[in-house]
Coordinates of all heavy atoms in Angstrom, one line a residue:
G155 N 181.5 138.7 57.0 CA 181.3 139.7 58.0 C 180.0 140.3 57.9 O 179.3 140.6 58.9
G156 N 179.5 140.6 56.7 CA 178.2 141.1 56.5 C 177.1 140.2 57.0 O 176.1 140.6 57.5
A157 N 177.3 138.9 56.7 CA 176.3 137.9 57.2 C 176.2 137.8 58.7 O 175.1 137.7 59.3 CB 176.7 136.5 56.7
I158 N 177.4 138.0 59.4 CA 177.4 138.0 60.8 C 176.7 139.2 61.3 O 175.8 139.2 62.3 CB 178.8 137.9 61.4 CG1 179.3 136.5 61.1 CG2 178.9 138.2 62.9 CD1 180.8 136.3 61.5
V159 N 176.9 140.4 60.8 CA 176.3 141.6 61.2 C 174.8 141.6 61.0 O 174.0 141.9 61.8 CB 176.9 142.9 60.5 CG1 176.1 144.1 60.7 CG2 178.3 143.0 61.0
V160 N 174.3 141.1 59.7 CA 173.0 141.1 59.4 C 172.2 140.1 60.4 O 171.2 140.4 60.9 CB 172.8 140.7 57.9 CG1 171.3 140.4 57.6 CG2 173.2 141.8 57.0
C161 N 172.8 138.9 60.6 CA 172.2 138.0 61.5 C 172.1 138.5 62.9 O 171.1 138.3 63.6 CB 172.9 136.6 61.5 SG 172.7 135.7 59.9
S162 N 173.1 139.2 63.3 CA 173.0 139.8 64.7 C 171.9 140.9 64.7 O 171.2 141.0 65.8 CB 174.4 140.5 65.0 OG 175.4 139.5 65.0
L163 N 171.8 141.7 63.7 CA 170.8 142.7 63.7 C 169.4 142.0 63.7 O 168.4 142.5 64.4 CB 170.9 143.6 62.5 CG 172.1 144.6 62.5 CD1 172.2 145.4 61.2 CD2 171.9 145.6 63.7
L164 N 169.3 140.9 63.0 CA 168.0 140.2 62.9 C 167.6 139.6 64.3 O 166.4 139.4 64.6 CB 168.0 139.1 61.8 CG 168.0 139.6 60.4 CD1 168.1 138.5 59.4 CD2 166.7 140.4 60.1
A165 N 168.6 139.3 65.1 CA 168.3 138.8 66.4 C 168.0 139.9 67.4 O 167.2 139.7 68.3 CB 169.6 138.0 66.9
I166 N 168.5 141.1 67.1 CA 168.3 142.2 68.1 C 167.0 143.0 67.8 O 166.3 143.4 68.7 CB 169.5 143.2 68.0 CG1 170.8 142.5 68.5 CG2 169.2 144.5 68.7 CD1 172.0 143.3 68.4
I167 N 166.5 143.0 66.5 CA 165.3 143.8 66.2 C 164.1 143.3 67.0 O 163.4 144.2 67.5 CB 165.1 143.7 64.7 CG1 166.1 144.5 63.9 CG2 163.7 144.2 64.3 CD1 166.1 144.4 62.5
P168 N 163.8 142.0 67.0 CA 162.6 141.7 67.9 C 162.7 142.0 69.3 O 161.7 142.4 70.0 CB 162.4 140.2 67.7 CG 163.4 139.7 66.7 CD 164.4 140.9 66.5
I169 N 164.0 141.9 69.9 CA 164.2 142.2 71.3 C 163.9 143.7 71.5 O 163.2 144.1 72.5 CB 165.6 141.8 71.7 CG1 165.7 140.3 71.6 CG2 165.9 142.3 73.2 CD1 167.2 139.8 71.8
V170 N 164.4 144.5 70.6 CA 164.2 146.0 70.7 C 162.7 146.3 70.6 O 162.1 147.1 71.3 CB 165.0 146.7 69.7 CG1 164.6 148.2 69.6 CG2 166.5 146.7 70.0
G171 N 162.0 145.6 69.7 CA 160.5 145.8 69.5 C 159.8 145.4 70.8 O 158.8 146.0 71.2
Y172 N 160.2 144.3 71.4 CA 159.6 143.8 72.7 C 159.7 144.9 73.7 O 158.7 145.2 74.3 CB 160.2 142.5 73.0 CG 159.8 142.0 74.4 CD1 158.6 141.4 74.6 CD2 160.7 142.1 75.5 CE1 158.3 141.0 75.9 CE2 160.4 141.7 76.8 CZ 159.2 141.1 76.9 OH 158.8 140.7 78.2
Y173 N 160.9 145.3 73.9 CA 161.1 146.4 75.0 C 160.4 147.7 74.6 O 159.9 148.4 75.5 CB 162.5 146.5 75.4 CG 163.1 145.4 76.1 CD1 164.1 144.5 75.6 CD2 162.6 145.1 77.4 CE1 164.5 143.5 76.4 CE2 163.1 144.0 78.2 CZ 164.1 143.3 77.6 OH 164.5 142.2 78.4
G174 N 160.3 148.0 73.4 CA 159.6 149.2 73.0 C 158.2 149.1 73.2 O 157.5 150.1 73.6
L175 N 157.6 148.0 72.9 CA 156.1 147.7 73.2 C 155.8 147.7 74.7 O 154.8 148.2 75.2 CB 155.7 146.4 72.6 CG 155.6 146.4 71.1 CD1 155.3 145.0 70.6 CD2 154.5 147.4 70.6
I176 N 156.8 147.2 75.5 CA 156.6 147.3 77.0 C 156.6 148.7 77.5 O 155.8 149.2 78.3 CB 157.6 146.4 77.7 CG1 157.4 145.0 77.5 CG2 157.7 146.8 79.2 CD1 158.4 144.0 78.1
A177 N 157.6 149.5 76.9 CA 157.6 150.9 77.2 C 156.4 151.7 76.8 O 156.0 152.7 77.5 CB 158.9 151.6 76.6
V178 N 155.7 151.3 75.8 CA 154.5 152.0 75.3 C 153.3 151.6 76.2 O 152.4 152.4 76.3 CB 154.2 151.6 73.8 CG1 152.9 152.1 73.4 CG2 155.3 152.2 72.9
G179 N 153.3 150.5 76.9 CA 152.3 150.1 77.8 C 151.7 148.8 77.6 O 150.8 148.4 78.3
Y180 N 152.2 147.9 76.7 CA 151.8 146.6 76.6 C 152.2 145.7 77.8 O 153.3 146.0 78.4 CB 152.3 145.9 75.3 CG 151.6 146.3 74.0 CD1 151.8 147.5 73.4 CD2 150.7 145.4 73.5 CE1 151.2 147.8 72.2 CE2 150.0 145.7 72.3 CZ 150.3 147.0 71.7 OH 149.6 147.3 70.5
D181 N 151.5 144.7 78.1 CA 152.0 143.8 79.1 C 153.0 142.9 78.5 O 153.1 142.8 77.3 CB 150.9 143.0 79.8 CG 150.1 142.1 78.9 OD1 150.3 142.3 77.7 OD2 149.4 141.2 79.4
E182 N 153.8 142.2 79.3 CA 154.9 141.4 78.7 C 154.5 140.3 77.8 O 155.1 140.1 76.8 CB 155.7 140.8 79.9 CG 156.4 141.7 80.7 CD 157.1 141.1 81.9 OE1 157.1 139.9 82.0 OE2 157.8 141.9 82.7
Q183 N 153.4 139.6 78.0 CA 153.0 138.5 77.2 C 152.4 139.0 75.9 O 152.8 138.5 74.8 CB 151.9 137.6 77.9 CG 151.5 136.4 77.1 CD 150.6 135.5 77.9 OE1 150.1 135.9 78.9 NE2 150.4 134.3 77.4
A184 N 151.7 140.1 75.9 CA 151.1 140.7 74.6 C 152.3 141.3 73.8 O 152.3 141.2 72.6 CB 150.1 141.7 75.0
A185 N 153.2 141.9 74.5 CA 154.4 142.5 73.8 C 155.2 141.5 73.1 O 155.6 141.7 71.9 CB 155.2 143.4 74.7
G186 N 155.4 140.4 73.7 CA 156.2 139.2 73.1 C 155.4 138.7 72.0 O 156.1 138.4 70.9
A187 N 154.1 138.5 72.1 CA 153.3 138.0 70.9 C 153.3 138.9 69.7 O 153.5 138.5 68.6 CB 151.9 137.6 71.4
V188 N 153.1 140.2 70.0 CA 153.0 141.1 69.0 C 154.4 141.3 68.3 O 154.5 141.4 67.1 CB 152.5 142.5 69.5 CG1 152.7 143.6 68.4 CG2 151.1 142.4 69.9
S189 N 155.5 141.5 69.1 CA 156.8 141.6 68.4 C 157.2 140.4 67.7 O 157.8 140.5 66.6 CB 157.8 142.0 69.5 OG 158.1 140.9 70.4
A190 N 157.0 139.2 68.2 CA 157.4 138.0 67.5 C 156.6 137.8 66.3 O 157.1 137.5 65.2 CB 157.3 136.8 68.4
G191 N 155.3 138.0 66.4 CA 154.4 137.8 65.2 C 154.7 138.8 64.1 O 154.8 138.4 62.9
S192 N 154.8 140.1 64.5 CA 155.1 141.1 63.4 C 156.4 140.9 62.8 O 156.6 141.1 61.6 CB 154.9 142.5 64.0 OG 155.8 142.7 65.0
F193 N 157.5 140.5 63.6 CA 158.8 140.3 63.0 C 158.8 139.1 62.0 O 159.4 139.2 61.0 CB 159.8 140.1 64.1 CG 161.2 139.8 63.6 CD1 161.9 140.8 63.1 CD2 161.7 138.5 63.6 CE1 163.2 140.6 62.5 CE2 163.0 138.2 63.1 CZ 163.7 139.3 62.6
T194 N 158.1 138.1 62.5 CA 158.0 136.9 61.6 C 157.3 137.2 60.3 O 157.8 136.8 59.2 CB 157.3 135.7 62.3 OG1 158.0 135.4 63.6 CG2 157.2 134.4 61.5
L195 N 156.2 137.8 60.4 CA 155.4 138.2 59.2 C 156.3 139.1 58.3 O 156.3 138.9 57.1 CB 154.1 138.9 59.6 CG 153.2 139.3 58.4 CD1 152.7 138.1 57.7 CD2 152.1 140.2 58.9
L196 N 156.9 140.1 58.9 CA 157.7 141.0 58.1 C 158.9 140.3 57.4 O 159.2 140.5 56.3 CB 158.3 142.2 59.0 CG 159.2 143.2 58.4 CD1 158.4 144.0 57.4 CD2 159.9 144.0 59.4
A197 N 159.6 139.4 58.2 CA 160.7 138.7 57.6 C 160.2 137.8 56.5 O 160.9 137.7 55.5 CB 161.3 137.8 58.7
I198 N 159.1 137.1 56.6 CA 158.6 136.3 55.5 C 158.3 137.1 54.3 O 158.6 136.7 53.2 CB 157.4 135.4 56.0 CG1 157.8 134.4 57.0 CG2 156.6 134.8 54.8 CD1 156.6 133.6 57.7
L199 N 157.6 138.2 54.5 CA 157.3 139.1 53.3 C 158.5 139.6 52.7 O 158.6 139.6 51.4 CB 156.4 140.2 53.8 CG 154.9 139.8 54.1 CD1 154.2 141.0 54.7 CD2 154.2 139.2 52.9
L200 N 159.5 140.1 53.4 CA 160.8 140.6 52.9 C 161.5 139.5 52.1 O 162.0 139.8 51.0 CB 161.6 141.2 53.9 CG 161.2 142.6 54.5 CD1 162.1 143.0 55.6 CD2 161.2 143.6 53.4
W201 N 161.6 138.3 52.7 CA 162.3 137.2 52.0 C 161.6 136.9 50.7 O 162.2 136.7 49.6 CB 162.4 136.0 52.9 CG 163.1 134.9 52.2 CD1 164.5 134.7 52.2 CD2 162.6 133.8 51.4 NE1 164.8 133.6 51.4 CE2 163.6 133.0 51.0 CE3 161.3 133.5 51.1 CZ2 163.4 131.9 50.2 CZ3 161.1 132.4 50.3 CH2 162.1 131.6 49.8
T202 N 160.3 136.8 50.7 CA 159.5 136.4 49.5 C 159.7 137.5 48.4 O 159.9 137.1 47.3 CB 158.0 136.3 49.8 OG1 157.9 135.3 50.9 CG2 157.2 135.9 48.6
F203 N 159.6 138.8 48.8 CA 159.7 139.8 47.8 C 161.2 139.9 47.2 O 161.4 140.1 46.0 CB 159.3 141.1 48.2 CG 157.8 141.2 48.4 CD1 157.2 141.7 49.6 CD2 156.9 140.8 47.4 CE1 155.8 141.8 49.8 CE2 155.5 140.9 47.6 CZ 155.0 141.4 48.8
S204 N 162.2 139.7 48.1 CA 163.5 139.7 47.6 C 163.8 138.5 46.7 O 164.5 138.6 45.7 CB 164.5 139.7 48.8 OG 164.6 138.4 49.4
Y205 N 163.3 137.4 47.0 CA 163.4 136.2 46.2 C 162.8 136.4 44.8 O 163.4 136.2 43.8 CB 162.8 135.0 46.8 CG 163.0 133.7 46.0 CD1 164.2 133.0 46.2 CD2 162.1 133.2 45.2 CE1 164.5 131.9 45.5 CE2 162.3 132.0 44.5 CZ 163.5 131.4 44.6 OH 163.7 130.2 43.9
M206 N 161.6 137.0 44.8 CA 160.9 137.3 43.5 C 161.7 138.3 42.7 O 161.8 138.2 41.5 CB 159.5 137.7 43.7 CG 158.6 136.6 44.3 SD 156.9 137.0 44.8 CE 156.5 138.6 44.1
F207 N 162.2 139.3 43.4 CA 163.0 140.3 42.7 C 164.3 139.7 42.1 O 164.6 140.0 40.9 CB 163.4 141.4 43.7 CG 164.2 142.5 43.1 CD1 163.6 143.5 42.3 CD2 165.6 142.6 43.4 CE1 164.4 144.5 41.8 CE2 166.3 143.6 42.8 CZ 165.7 144.5 42.0
R208 N 165.0 138.8 42.8 CA 166.2 138.2 42.3 C 165.9 137.3 41.1 O 166.6 137.2 40.2 CB 166.9 137.4 43.4 CG 167.6 138.3 44.4 CD 168.4 137.5 45.4 NE 167.5 136.8 46.3 CZ 167.7 135.5 46.6 NH1 168.7 134.8 46.1 NH2 166.8 134.9 47.4
V209 N 164.7 136.5 41.2 CA 164.4 135.7 40.1 C 164.0 136.5 38.9 O 164.4 136.2 37.7 CB 163.1 134.8 40.5 CG1 162.6 134.1 39.3 CG2 163.6 133.8 41.5
A210 N 163.3 137.6 39.1 CA 162.9 138.5 37.9 C 164.2 139.1 37.3 O 164.2 139.3 36.0 CB 161.9 139.5 38.4
N211 N 165.1 139.4 38.0 CA 166.4 140.0 37.5 C 167.4 139.1 37.2 O 168.6 139.4 36.8 CB 166.9 141.1 38.5 CG 166.0 142.3 38.6 OD1 165.4 142.7 37.6 ND2 166.0 142.9 39.7
K212 N 167.1 137.8 37.2 CA 168.1 136.7 37.0 C 169.4 136.9 37.8 O 170.5 136.8 37.3 CB 168.4 136.6 35.5 CG 167.3 136.1 34.7 CD 167.6 135.9 33.3 CE 166.4 135.3 32.6 NZ 166.7 135.1 31.2
D213 N 169.2 137.2 39.1 CA 170.3 137.5 40.0 C 170.5 136.3 40.9 O 170.9 136.4 42.1 CB 170.0 138.7 40.8 CG 171.2 139.3 41.5 OD1 172.3 139.0 41.1 OD2 171.0 140.0 42.5
M214 N 170.2 135.1 40.4 CA 170.4 133.9 41.2 C 171.8 133.4 41.1 O 172.5 133.7 40.1 CB 169.4 132.8 40.7 CG 167.9 133.3 40.7 SD 167.3 133.7 42.3 CE 167.3 132.2 43.1
T215 N 172.3 132.6 41.9 CA 173.6 132.0 42.0 C 174.0 131.3 40.7 O 175.0 131.5 40.1 CB 173.8 131.1 43.1 OG1 173.5 131.9 44.4 CG2 175.3 130.7 43.2
Y216 N 173.0 130.4 40.2 CA 173.3 129.7 39.0 C 173.5 130.6 37.8 O 174.3 130.3 37.0 CB 172.2 128.6 38.8 CG 172.3 127.9 37.5 CD1 173.3 126.9 37.4 CD2 171.5 128.2 36.4 CE1 173.5 126.2 36.1 CE2 171.7 127.5 35.2 CZ 172.6 126.6 35.1 OH 172.8 125.9 33.9
A217 N 172.5 131.6 37.7 CA 172.6 132.4 36.6 C 173.9 133.2 36.5 O 174.5 133.4 35.5 CB 171.4 133.4 36.6
K218 N 174.4 133.6 37.7 CA 175.7 134.4 37.8 C 176.8 133.5 37.4 O 177.7 133.8 36.7 CB 175.9 134.9 39.2 CG 175.0 136.1 39.6 CD 175.4 136.5 41.0 CE 174.6 137.7 41.4 NZ 174.9 138.0 42.8
Q219 N 176.8 132.2 37.9 CA 177.9 131.3 37.6 C 177.9 130.9 36.1 O 179.0 130.9 35.5 CB 177.8 130.0 38.4 CG 178.1 130.2 39.8 CD 177.8 128.9 40.6 OE1 177.1 128.0 40.2 NE2 178.3 128.8 41.8
L220 N 176.7 130.8 35.5 CA 176.6 130.5 34.1 C 177.1 131.6 33.3 O 177.9 131.4 32.3 CB 175.2 130.1 33.7 CG 174.9 129.7 32.3 CD1 175.7 128.5 31.9 CD2 173.5 129.5 32.0

Side-chain angles (χ1 to χ4, degrees):
I158 290 173
V159 170
V160 169
C161 289
S162 299
L163 288 175
L164 289 176
I166 292 172
I167 289 172
I169 296 170
V170 170
Y172 170 76
Y173 286 114
L175 289 173
I176 288 177
V178 171
Y180 279 82
D181 64 347
E182 291 179 1
Q183 188 172 8
V188 170
S189 68
S192 60
F193 178 74
T194 303
L195 181 65
L196 180 69
I198 290 171
L199 289 175
L200 284 175
W201 181 85
T202 303
F203 289 130
S204 72
Y205 185 80
M206 290 173 21
F207 180 76
R208 287 185 291 131
V209 168
N211 289 328
K212 294 187 178 181
D213 195 21
M214 306 299 289
T215 304
Y216 174 73
K218 287 180 180 179
Q219 289 174 345
L220 183 62

